[in-house]
Amino acid sequence: SLQLQAHQPPCRDFILLVEPPEAPPVPHTWSPPGIFAGAWNYTRASGVADFWALGERRSYTNVWPDELADAHRDAAVMVFSHGARLEPRMLSGYKASNGQTYCVVPITSSHNDYSGAVNVQYFAAGKDCCSNREFTCGDALNKDAHAGLVIYNKTDLLHSMFFGRQDLEHYLQAAEMTSGKYGVQRAKQPIFLDWVADVDNAVSHGWFQAQRYWLYSCILAWPLILALGLLMEGHVGAIVKGTFDTRFKTDGVV
């Protein structure tokens, strides 16, 4: 053992002396932009969440407009009876603080006389698609349309934090205006729908929208991730260099 110790390389102590210090942990620079981009993609209107809801929730057919909305809270698609129609005479548009107009019209049966006893359970809805008693949201101008995709509340914390009030809250304000102006009753929590003529085509469009928003998320996230990565690389490099200098000075190495 003494013989082996005598033949140890003379540079061993120097090698140990200049052994690189343990690198400081590198922050996950991708996390904040990745979380934000994912939340934006999943929760924005016509995003991934809207598409997946079509598969996760139920579809109802031959629904009469006077059926209680509470019986269809789990709906994603609702196909109404052929006696159902939109009532543009009861159009309301709520101008929100974000600059958009939230438009709603009741979905009613053709036999209703609108004497004030009508209890509206469902509204066709849309943004920036109404003026002067003309409702053009979705396929409202198509007389063959009698179905809708449910607009549901995105109640996740990230959506509320980054994007403010939910669209559904603004639609409720517009529905309240309809009740006040035309003297009709409404469900406390009516169901709002995007009025469509072809459900299958609307679902396919939803998938295309989900892909488009995913692409936008990637395009928006990667430049920010790259910039933060370069910034943190320079910051970490400065920390490592400072650590080397400190250790060399402490050990008397110039």
Side-chain angles (χ1 to χ4, degrees), residues 5-249:
Q5 185 177 5
H7 287 85
Q8 287 180 347
C11 60
R12 179 182 65 87
D13 293 337
F14 179 76
I15 293 174
L16 293 177
L17 177 64
V18 298
E19 183 181 1
E22 183 179 354
V26 179
H28 295 294
T29 57
W30 48 266
S31 296
I35 291 173
F36 180 82
W40 182 81
N41 184 29
Y42 192 78
T43 62
R44 287 301 287 170
S46 300
V48 175
D50 299 280
F51 174 76
W52 285 117
L54 297 175
E56 294 172 351
R57 300 190 177 199
R58 296 188 59 181
S59 298
Y60 290 92
T61 59
N62 198 32
V63 178
W64 283 90
D66 53 1
E67 293 182 24
L68 295 179
D70 287 340
H72 303 103
R73 292 295 173 198
D74 57 349
V77 178
M78 299 187 69
V79 180
F80 289 87
S81 63
H82 286 281
R85 68 177 185 181
L86 303 184
E87 187 46 67
R89 292 178 298 172
M90 297 184 182
L91 165 68
S92 290
Y94 173 73
K95 187 75 170 181
S97 58
N98 60 12
Q100 294 182 303
T101 300
Y102 290 78
C103 310
V104 300
V105 295
I107 301 172
T108 63
S109 298
S110 56
H111 59 76
N112 285 334
D113 58 6
Y114 314 113
S115 61
V118 177
N119 193 342
V120 180
Q121 301 290 314
Y122 310 96
F123 287 86
K127 290 183 283 188
D128 298 325
C129 48
C130 59
S131 62
N132 300 324
R133 293 185 179 276
E134 184 179 19
F135 183 82
T136 59
C137 305
D139 293 328
L141 300 181
N142 188 336
K143 294 182 179 180
D144 294 328
H146 60 282
L149 305 182
V150 175
I151 301 170
Y152 62 95
N153 199 9
K154 301 180 178 72
T155 55
D156 57 278
L157 178 61
L158 285 175
H159 187 281
S160 300
M161 182 185 303
F162 291 122
F163 306 114
R165 297 182 65 186
Q166 308 280 354
D167 286 344
L168 207 60
E169 297 177 49
H170 298 310
Y171 288 132
L172 280 170
Q173 292 285 345
E176 187 64 27
M177 292 171 62
T178 295
S179 298
K181 286 193 296 184
Y182 304 107
V184 297
Q185 300 177 8
R186 66 169 179 84
K188 184 177 181 181
Q189 294 292 331
I191 291 178
F192 298 93
L193 303 108
D194 179 16
W195 199 243
V196 299
D198 187 332
V199 172
D200 291 334
N201 183 62
V203 171
S204 298
H205 179 70
W207 173 237
F208 171 76
Q209 287 286 81
Q211 290 178 313
R212 189 178 70 173
Y213 273 79
W214 171 80
L215 180 61
Y216 287 170
S217 297
C218 293
I219 293 174
L220 290 173
W222 274 109
L224 182 59
I225 293 173
L226 179 61
L228 288 176
L230 293 175
L231 179 64
M232 293 308 301
E233 181 180 3
H235 178 67
V236 171
I239 294 176
V240 172
K241 184 178 183 301
T243 304
F244 269 121
D245 293 342
T246 301
R247 289 190 60 176
F248 289 167
K249 291 178 181 179

